[in-house]
Amino acid sequence: METFVFVTNNQHKLEEAKAMLKNKINIVGLSGIGCYDNIPETGKTLKENALQKAHFIYDNYHYNCFADDTGLEVEALDGSPGVYSARYAGESSNSEANIAKLLANLEGKTNRKARFRTVVALLYNGNEFLFEGTVNGHIISERKGVNGFGYDPVFIPNGYNQTFAEQSAAVKNTISHRAKAMAQLYEFLIKNKKPTIQ
Ligand code: IMP
């Protein structure tokens, strides 16, 4: 079985990816290759960041690998927080502060449309491949639910009436941006289907 490095320290993401790739591909996280480096993430787009992280591992450790980057894009805020989602309220901000800033910026706005977008960059024998997954929805004005992380308590995906934080992980993991991007990666690696974005 081929081995791929998932450029992440997040055990939850790693387990999720293993399950999604149906254990047909051997996936290890950064600790699995003894990498404890501070990997730079200085891109201005999700694609740049995903490629930057994947290249760091491919160029320094020489493993086939993939990296993901996700952002929440809010229509009335011209796509913000986007690539800056993790540090929207400042460099050392947390989800609480990020949500508070988001709700403050959306106060009084009737257009609450938003989407999560994930870009996955794969480096396979030196070639770059990109995959994308999105989920459309809207931002509500107060937090609901305790599951998940990040902006989950204020995001309701289209077709549902509960926030991601009210849904079970099983439901979120079938409809989420990350699940869709990982599904594309799976289709490519297992079934040789073409990537979605350039
Ligand atoms: P990352 O690229 O996966 O680290 O995501 C960047 C930031 O986007 C996170 O710190 C979260 O604030 C937000 N985010 C990413 N994925 C999700 C999600 O599934 N739900 C809610 N927020 C998310």
Side-chain angles (χ1 to χ4, degrees):
M1 221 186 328
E2 274 187 290
T3 295
F4 288 81
V5 176
F6 185 3
V7 185
T8 185
N9 287 309
N10 183 326
Q11 196 60 27
H12 176 79
K13 275 192 191 176
L14 188 63
E15 294 306 327
E16 199 178 281
K18 281 184 182 172
M20 283 175 194
L21 294 170
K22 316 252 192 301
N23 294 318
K24 290 198 171 144
I25 292 164
N26 193 31
I27 300 175
V28 297
L30 289 171
S31 60
I33 57 165
C35 170
Y36 301 98
D37 302 327
N38 202 354
I39 300 178
E41 215 175 313
T42 54
K44 292 202 165 48
T45 62
L46 299 177
K47 176 177 156 180
E48 277 175 27
N49 272 348
L51 281 170
Q52 185 179 31
K53 289 188 273 187
H55 266 290
F56 183 92
I57 293 305
Y58 192 82
D59 298 348
N60 293 298
Y61 291 82
H62 317 295
Y63 285 100
N64 286 326
C65 61
F66 60 91
D68 71 328
D69 204 42
T70 295
L72 174 70
E73 301 174 335
V74 180
E75 196 171 276
L77 303 177
D78 298 324
S80 287
V83 71
Y84 303 108
S85 293
R87 48 207 147 106
Y88 190 38
E91 272 312 319
S92 53
S93 61
N94 54 31
S95 296
E96 254 325 289
N98 289 337
I99 289 178
K101 180 170 176 181
L102 177 69
L103 295 184
N105 285 346
L106 279 177
E107 216 172 299
K109 300 221 190 294
T110 48
N111 178 2
R112 314 285 297 194
K113 285 186 196 159
R115 68 174 184 176
F116 279 110
R117 190 161 68 92
T118 295
V119 173
V120 171
L122 167 72
L123 277 177
Y124 193 15
N125 298 333
N127 297 308
E128 291 175 358
F129 301 94
L130 292 161
F131 309 88
E132 186 179 73
T134 58
V135 60
N136 293 310
H138 68 275
I139 303 295
I140 55 172
S141 52
E142 55 190 40
R143 298 163 178 79
K144 283 188 183 166
V146 294
N147 301 332
F149 70 102
Y151 299 89
D152 279 350
V154 292
F155 182 84
I156 297 187
N158 287 351
Y160 294 80
N161 51 25
Q162 289 185 314
T163 66
F164 266 166
E166 292 176 296
Q167 295 178 342
S168 66
V171 171
K172 183 186 166 190
N173 289 343
T174 52
I175 62 171
S176 83
H177 43 298
R178 207 167 11 258
K180 288 178 183 165
M182 294 303 291
Q184 305 263 347
L185 176 69
Y186 169 78
E187 294 283 320
F188 176 73
L189 289 177
I190 310 286
K191 300 181 186 163
N192 246 312
K193 290 228 176 110
K194 286 214 159 59
T196 43
I197 59 171
Q198 297 300 309

